[in-house]
């Protein structure tokens, strides 16, 4: 029997969904972060739960060929990256397997998964920095959380962010020192500053300091320092005094700069603000949007609904080719940005941006457009939790012709695809496998995109097409 604190030597025989090595020993599956397939490791068992255990590698006795030296000195301490010790080409293969495994295990289907689209820049790719500020024994510390904890590890720079991140952290450290700003204490819900959030596009920066109260010392000093460094920069103060993991509170106060900026992707000019969603990897989102348009293949006879449309970039690319594209998005600021985008690009007649929840809007919108226009394509790009069941059934019942589903969570993607294809069904609120089913949609294409190199995360794009009568998956 495997027990806590056992020390053992074994070979890694599999890799888990989070990139961790897996050992099977004495009837127990042991997960070992930062170990790779084929490696011989000495490890210590930290936790045992029935026949599953979690351990820590003490020494890599025989390293895998795919092992490389991590770039970041904080790797394995900070929870941001999980795969820096693995060659980039191998990371791509792992992500392809993760997606295939989710379809197999969750939806009971085995589509051909295309090779992962690689990032040209596997480092310095993030255009968004989101970093906590904590009080550690009276000292204010800016840094990332250690894996699975809220313990902040001091960080001055991070290789998956461009150089600007290091400069902004340095300015905040100077400001904290100058004005004796206190970091956040989760245990007492006290402090001045709890998060710094930065969005950078085309050399324009929106910086938000998330504070416990609205009035905090030195904000003009901070804005001036940021402006000296970056030129086009906006500083917001967001107030969040709730005990919560949600980063932003409701109130934003503009300290200095423009409230939104205009940027461009290819030939499309778009607006972005502090609250509207933008993909974190511009290079990969451009590649992914092109693939979505190719798969949706809109033409002058078809309308497209871009569900979960953010600031409207993808809606615009679809609208350029379709009879009309409808974006549906919950955040009002994002919808305003999408309206500006439509004007900038002369798409106001071809693009309609609806502010609302997809689960409220789509069950009526899909059948209405289907009746009016005949050919309707749906594009989904939901948050990690996936698409609500009533939206999936509306898509099935109204006779949508095609669905392109973009997802940052292969598990909820597999679940939703299973429900659309019919390999899964809902029984009394639970999702179960369905043995004999007549497929409504067939899964035609699955392609992972590496939006998040060095981390376990993966984006995917899939195409589902309505099944014609009599065909089987
Ligand atoms: C993953 S993002 C995709 C955004 C956009 N497609 C893009 O590429 O920038 C998901 C978007 O869904 C929005 N959202 C979240 N829940 C929603 C809901 N229930 N109904 C409509 N939009 C929602 C979020 O505000 C966010 O903009």
């Amino acid at each position: 029997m495997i027990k806590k604190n056992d020390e053992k030597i074994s070979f890694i025989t599999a890799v888990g969904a989070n990139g961790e090595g897996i050992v099977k020993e004495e009837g127990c599956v042991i997960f070992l972060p930062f170990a790779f397939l084929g490696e011989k490791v000495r490890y210590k068992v930290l936790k045992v739960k029935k026949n599953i255990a979690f351990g820590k590698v003490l020494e890599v006795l025989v390293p895998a060929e795919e092992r490389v030296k991590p770039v970041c000195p904080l790797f394995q301490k900070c929870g941001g990256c999980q795969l820096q010790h693995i060659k980039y080409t191998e990371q791509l293969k792992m992500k392809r397997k993760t997606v295939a495994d989710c379809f197999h295990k969750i939806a009971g289907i085995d589509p051909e998964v295309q090779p992962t689209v690689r990032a040209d820049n596997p480092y310095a790719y993030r255009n968004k920095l989101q970093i906590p500020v904590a009080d550690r024994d009276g000292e204010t510390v800016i840094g990332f959380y250690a894996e699975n904890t809220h313990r902040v590890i001091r960080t001055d720079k991070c290789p998956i962010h461009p150089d600007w991140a290091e400069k902004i952290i340095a300015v905040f450290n100077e400001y904290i020192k100058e004005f004796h700003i206190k970091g956040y204490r989760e245990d007492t819900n006290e402090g001045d500053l709890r998060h710094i959030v930065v969005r950078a596009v085309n050399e324009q920066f929106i910086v938000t300091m998330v504070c416990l109260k609205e009035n905090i010392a030195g904000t003009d000093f901070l804005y001036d320092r940021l402006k000296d460094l970056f030129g086009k920069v906006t500083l917001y103060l967001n107030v969040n005094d709730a005990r919560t993991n949600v980063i932003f509170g409701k109130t934003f106060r503009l300290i200095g700069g423009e409230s939104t900026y205009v940027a461009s992707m290819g030939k499309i000019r778009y607006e972005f603000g502090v609250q509207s969603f933008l993909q974190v990897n511009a290079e990969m989102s451009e590649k992914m949007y092109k693939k979505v348009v190719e798969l949706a293949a809109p033409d002058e006879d078809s309308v497209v609904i871009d569900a979960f449309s953010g600031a409207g970039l993808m809606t615009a690319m679809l609208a350029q080719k379709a009879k009309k594209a409808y974006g549906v998005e919950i955040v009002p600021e994002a919808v305003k940005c999408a309206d500006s985008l439509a004007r900038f690009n002369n798409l106001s007649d071809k693009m309609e941006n609806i502010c609302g929840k997809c689960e409220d809007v789509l069950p009526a919108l899909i059948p209405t457009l289907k009746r009016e226009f005949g050919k309707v394509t749906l594009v989904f790009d939901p948050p990690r939790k996936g698409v609500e069941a009533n939206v999936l059934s509306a898509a099935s019942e109204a006779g949508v012709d095609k669905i392109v589903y973009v997802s940052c969570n292969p598990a909820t993607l597999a679940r939703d695809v299973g429900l659309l294809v019919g390999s899964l069904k809902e029984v009394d609120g639970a999702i179960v496998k369905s043995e004999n089913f007549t497929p409504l949609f067939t899964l035609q294409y699955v392609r992972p995109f590496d939006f998040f190199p060095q981390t376990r995360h993966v984006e995917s794009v899939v195409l589902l097409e309505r099944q014609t009568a009599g065909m089987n998956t």
Side-chain angles (χ1 to χ4, degrees), residues 275-279 285 288-289 306-315 328-331 334 354-361 379-386 388 406-408 451 459:
Q275 294 181 70
S276 41
F277 177 91
L278 275 190
Q279 301 286 355
S285 49
M288 185 268 279
Y289 290 151
D306 180 15
F308 308 93
S309 49
L313 259 165
M314 198 153 65
T315 325
V328 184
E329 165 60 46
I330 197 172
V331 173
I354 300 167
C355 189
K357 289 185 184 167
C358 286
E359 52 275 32
D360 296 341
V361 175
V379 176
F380 288 134
D381 186 3
R384 290 188 66 76
K385 68 179 177 137
E388 296 289 334
V406 179
S407 165
C408 58
F451 270 56
E459 189 91 4

Side-chain angles (χ1 to χ4, degrees), residues 185-216:
R185 278 187 60 175
E186 256 184 32
D187 56 344
T188 58
N189 197 36
E190 284 172 336
D192 299 316
L193 181 59
R194 59 191 290 176
H195 257 97
I196 302 163
V197 181
V198 186
R199 178 165 280 162
V201 187
N202 298 161
E203 312 285 312
Q204 303 168 109
F205 296 82
I206 297 186
V207 180
T208 308
M209 51 196 305
V210 183
C211 300
L212 280 101
K213 48 188 183 293
E214 200 167 326
N215 293 314
I216 182 161

Side-chain angles (χ1 to χ4, degrees), residues 1 67 72 117 139 169 174 180 208 222-223 251 260 291 301 322 352 375-376 383 391 412 414 419 452 455:
M1 259 314 258
R67 184 173 276 275
C72 179
V117 178
E139 193 193 356
I169 293 171
E174 184 191 338
H180 309 288
T208 308
L222 179 61
Y223 176 65
T251 314
T260 56
K291 179 53 79 181
D301 293 331
E352 189 169 328
K375 224 167 128 193
V376 176
V391 175
T412 53
L419 288 167
F452 317 103
T455 80

Side-chain angles (χ1 to χ4, degrees), residues 318-386:
L318 294 160
Q320 283 177 326
K321 304 215 160 157
K323 190 181 190 79
K324 191 158 181 178
Y326 295 79
V328 184
E329 165 60 46
I330 197 172
V331 173
E333 184 202 84
V335 178
K336 256 179 81 193
C337 288
D339 284 339
S340 305
L341 180 156
R343 281 195 307 280
F344 297 155
N345 298 283
N346 295 323
L347 286 168
S348 297
D349 291 345
K350 296 191 82 185
M351 188 172 158
E352 189 169 328
N353 304 303
I354 300 167
C355 189
K357 289 185 184 167
C358 286
E359 52 275 32
D360 296 341
V361 175
L362 293 187
L365 183 67
I366 300 172
T368 306
L369 294 180
K370 182 75 191 161
R371 274 195 304 275
E372 198 173 332
F373 297 103
K375 224 167 128 193
V376 176
T377 298
L378 253 176
V379 176
F380 288 134
D381 186 3
R384 290 188 66 76
K385 68 179 177 137

Side-chain angles (χ1 to χ4, degrees), residues 128-186:
K128 185 178 184 191
L129 172 73
Q130 197 161 281
I131 192 165
V133 184
D135 177 290
R136 216 172 54 190
D137 303 326
E139 193 193 356
T140 300
V141 176
I142 302 176
F144 292 109
Y145 292 128
E147 181 86 15
N148 297 327
T149 74
H150 271 197
R151 190 165 50 81
V152 170
I153 298 176
R154 179 184 287 285
T155 312
D156 295 321
K157 58 178 172 186
C158 164
I160 63 171
H161 294 84
D163 287 352
W164 55 254
E166 183 180 353
K167 294 181 187 153
I168 288 184
I169 293 171
V171 168
F172 267 92
N173 274 325
E174 184 191 338
Y175 160 70
I176 284 166
K177 205 164 157 209
E178 186 80 21
F179 291 90
H180 309 288
I181 301 297
K182 291 199 164 45
Y184 182 53
R185 278 187 60 175
E186 256 184 32

